[in-house]
Amino acid sequence: MGYHFLPCERAQLYLLPPALQDWLPESDLAWFILDAVAQMNLTAMTRTYRADGWGPAAYEPAMMVALLLYAYCLGERSSRRIERLCQRDVAFRVITANQGPDHTTMARFRQTHESELATRFTQVLRLCGEAGLVKVGVVALDGTKIKANAALASNRTVETITAEVSRMLTEAQATDAAEDRPYGPERCGDELPEALRDRRSRLARLQACQERLTQEAAPATAQQQAKIETRQAEEAATGQKKRGRKPKAPEAAADREAKANVTDPDSRIMKTQAGYVQGYNAQAVVTEDQIIVAAEVTQEENDIKQLYPMLERAQANLKAIAYPHTLGTALADAGYCSEANLLAADPAGPALLIATNKDWKQRQVLREPPPPRGRAPKGLTARDRMERTLLTTRGRRLYKKRGQTVEPVFGQIKSARGCDGCMRRGTAACDSEWKLLCATHNLLKLWRNGKAAWISRRTGRTRQRCGWGSGKKNGG
């Protein structure tokens, strides 16, 4: 008696042509991404392609954008891994319509449309606003350190960089002279020293690092020169030499230990709870529903200078999507607290609640003393007034929302999706990448929330995340 198994005939041909629509259920994230991209304006991208029909055909920008958004939603950012998924994963094959672009095409698309991909953040925010997910009565601002595509060991001092630049130029000159002897000045050999295989890009990065360190040393040198001139003027006026140690020479006042990274000159050494990393400071303004309304990448190691630029960016994004309300109250940790920031607060809003102590100290302070009563005493500094505001019943209630608003967003992006570093190099490229990550975070929130409804260009039906296929149909 034979076993009763289902047949497994791998050589069996399809009796009918397969349809992509049957490969995934209607509620799959891939269809949602395709519908979301259909709502976006891609005119700026499309205009970069030839409209006369000459040359090889290019992939549709809408398909490439949908492919990148879907991959970023899954935490896949490597062009080579995405290429493999386009061959092996059903959802990726549905998005690409079985076309399968290679990794070079994807990398070139990201580089060519860097700024336009960053604007997808605003367009996704518009979709969230239309679904009613954007509520800015209370927002939280914070920054997180993301790793650069560079190692800490790639940092060099100005002396090391100067010596390496000089060595490379000298070696290149010697190589040219050596090649001129057997080949003549009009011809060159095919072999180059190992250090010069990527000479142009490496030399450019070294020179960029050298220029940056020189510019950063210039203020210290000028300040020291002014100090020397002031001392000399005072001695000339009194006719007596001043007591004490003479100021150092201007060149010696510069920080000789300052370093720059030769792999990604734009990146900086950032301090985190786990130690130091080579990276960037990624900023985000988040609503209570964990919708990101502003995202930026900065080279600044701390957050003090990012308070008002980020709030202004959030206001600009809300204006760009025609959102009728403005920010109500902004919550921030002690990294944004300074006397200058507190004094510069706009009375017209948003209202600020900024911790004056480190996070664990602030939580301890909010638990222990009772709320203050009566009017605030006169003569308080801006920091004292903020401390008093945080201790009020309303201040305690609002500030408790900070940790549960913005911190989980960073956890979802960096830990859950594994996107704790940049795949590209340079501030502009990393800023575009961070905005794309934040845009996909908002897309996932919109998809799981189930409030997005639009007409699908693919099927001509109105679909919603919850109960797709069972809701009302329009023209289907």
Side-chain angles (χ1 to χ4, degrees):
M1 181 176 181
Y3 292 104
H4 190 51
F5 292 145
L6 291 172
C8 187
E9 297 291 341
R10 294 184 178 85
Q12 173 66 47
L13 300 177
Y14 285 104
L15 300 180
L16 292 174
L20 292 178
Q21 289 86 347
D22 298 331
W23 286 10
L24 294 173
E26 288 286 320
S27 59
D28 194 86
L29 175 62
W31 293 126
F32 179 86
I33 296 295
L34 289 171
D35 289 343
V37 173
Q39 314 304 311
M40 298 179 184
N41 185 359
L42 303 177
T43 305
M45 286 187 183
T46 306
R47 286 175 180 170
T48 61
Y49 296 88
R50 297 187 62 159
D52 53 12
W54 288 80
Y59 292 106
E60 286 188 0
M63 184 272 284
M64 296 296 293
V65 171
L67 175 61
L68 290 177
L69 288 177
Y70 182 73
Y72 273 56
C73 282
L74 302 184
E76 293 290 351
R77 293 177 294 156
S78 167
S79 298
R80 286 178 171 81
R81 286 203 299 268
I82 297 175
E83 179 185 359
R84 288 194 292 270
L85 288 168
C86 289
Q87 300 168 358
R88 304 173 66 91
D89 188 276
V90 170
F92 280 88
R93 295 184 66 179
V94 167
I95 288 177
T96 60
N98 274 330
Q99 296 180 84
D102 60 23
H103 65 275
T104 305
T105 302
M106 283 180 270
R108 189 181 299 116
F109 183 85
R110 275 193 292 198
Q111 183 177 6
T112 303
H113 302 289
E114 184 176 279
S115 59
E116 280 302 314
L117 287 173
T119 62
R120 298 310 99 190
F121 174 81
T122 308
Q123 298 204 14
V124 171
L125 185 62
R126 176 179 60 83
L127 298 178
C128 292
E130 291 173 355
L133 297 185
V134 179
K135 301 173 184 178
V136 295
V138 177
V139 297
L141 166 64
D142 203 359
T144 184
K145 306 303 189 295
I146 54 176
K147 300 174 184 176
N149 190 4
L152 273 171
S154 298
N155 286 288
R156 303 286 188 273
T157 62
V158 65
E159 288 84 357
T160 306
I161 293 172
T162 302
E164 192 166 355
V165 169
S166 177
R167 180 188 61 80
M168 292 185 70
L169 294 176
T170 302
E171 189 172 351
Q173 186 177 4
T175 302
D176 291 341
E179 289 174 350
D180 285 346
R181 285 191 293 271
Y183 301 108
E186 302 299 328
R187 298 177 60 191
C188 63
D190 295 331
E191 298 294 329
L192 283 176
E194 186 67 28
L196 299 179
R197 294 289 171 86
D198 191 21
R199 174 180 170 272
R200 286 183 300 174
S201 63
R202 179 166 178 79
L203 184 58
R205 285 184 274 116
L206 284 169
Q207 291 173 336
C209 291
Q210 188 179 30
E211 182 180 356
R212 174 205 146 190
L213 292 175
T214 302
Q215 291 177 350
E216 290 181 352
T221 303
Q223 183 179 4
Q224 189 69 7
Q225 181 63 37
K227 185 177 180 180
I228 293 173
E229 292 175 356
T230 302
R231 180 186 177 97
Q232 290 175 348
E234 292 176 354
E235 289 177 347
T238 60
Q240 296 179 354
K241 291 187 177 182
K242 294 191 68 174
R243 302 174 66 180
R245 183 178 298 178
K246 290 183 179 181
K248 295 180 180 179
E251 294 77 12
D255 184 6
R256 311 311 295 178
E257 297 301 318
K259 295 181 179 181
N261 194 279
V262 297
T263 304
D264 184 357
D266 288 351
S267 64
R268 298 291 186 269
I269 300 176
M270 301 282 176
K271 185 178 181 180
T272 68
Q273 292 181 348
Y276 290 92
V277 298
Q278 189 72 33
Y280 293 90
N281 187 352
Q283 299 281 314
V285 179
V286 185
T287 69
E288 287 189 78
D289 294 325
Q290 297 181 3
I291 298 296
I292 304 173
V293 294
E296 294 287 336
V297 160
T298 176
Q299 300 169 307
E300 297 285 342
E301 291 85 352
N302 55 59
D303 299 328
I304 290 179
K305 296 181 181 179
Q306 308 308 316
L307 177 63
Y308 293 107
M310 287 304 300
L311 294 179
E312 290 171 2
R313 173 58 59 186
Q315 299 279 29
N317 289 342
L318 295 175
K319 184 178 180 181
I321 66 172
Y323 189 74
H325 306 292
T326 58
L327 302 180
T329 301
L331 312 175
D333 62 16
Y336 298 88
C337 186
S338 71
E339 197 74 14
N341 280 347
L342 298 177
L343 291 174
D346 187 355
L352 299 179
L353 274 179
I354 306 177
T356 56
N357 300 296
K358 292 184 178 181
D359 198 43
W360 67 272
K361 289 184 179 180
Q362 191 66 49
R363 290 197 299 268
Q364 186 178 20
V365 168
L366 294 179
R367 283 195 300 264
E368 293 177 355
R373 296 183 178 182
R375 294 184 178 181
K378 295 182 180 180
L380 294 179
T381 64
R383 183 181 292 270
D384 292 336
R385 288 196 298 270
M386 181 57 66
E387 287 180 355
R388 182 181 174 85
T389 303
L390 287 166
L391 290 175
T392 63
T393 303
R394 180 177 180 273
R396 293 170 192 253
R397 175 176 55 82
L398 288 177
Y399 190 78
K400 284 181 181 178
K401 297 181 179 181
R402 191 204 68 83
Q404 64 196 41
T405 299
V406 65
E407 299 293 350
V409 171
F410 293 149
Q412 290 158 15
I413 293 176
K414 297 175 67 176
S415 298
R417 287 198 277 162
C419 302
D420 62 344
C422 301
M423 300 291 291
R424 302 181 63 204
R425 295 169 182 166
T427 305
C430 293
D431 182 70
S432 175
E433 192 172 358
W434 176 245
K435 285 184 170 69
L436 207 55
L437 286 171
C438 292
T440 52
H441 169 87
N442 287 347
L443 272 176
L444 289 170
K445 287 289 182 182
L446 182 60
W447 175 59
R448 293 179 179 127
N449 186 274
K451 293 185 178 179
W454 43 60
I455 301 297
S456 170
R457 295 180 182 178
R458 182 177 62 84
T459 61
R461 293 181 295 177
T462 300
R463 296 200 303 262
Q464 283 189 317
R465 170 67 179 88
C466 51
W468 277 7
S470 61
K472 295 182 180 179
K473 298 181 180 179
N474 180 15

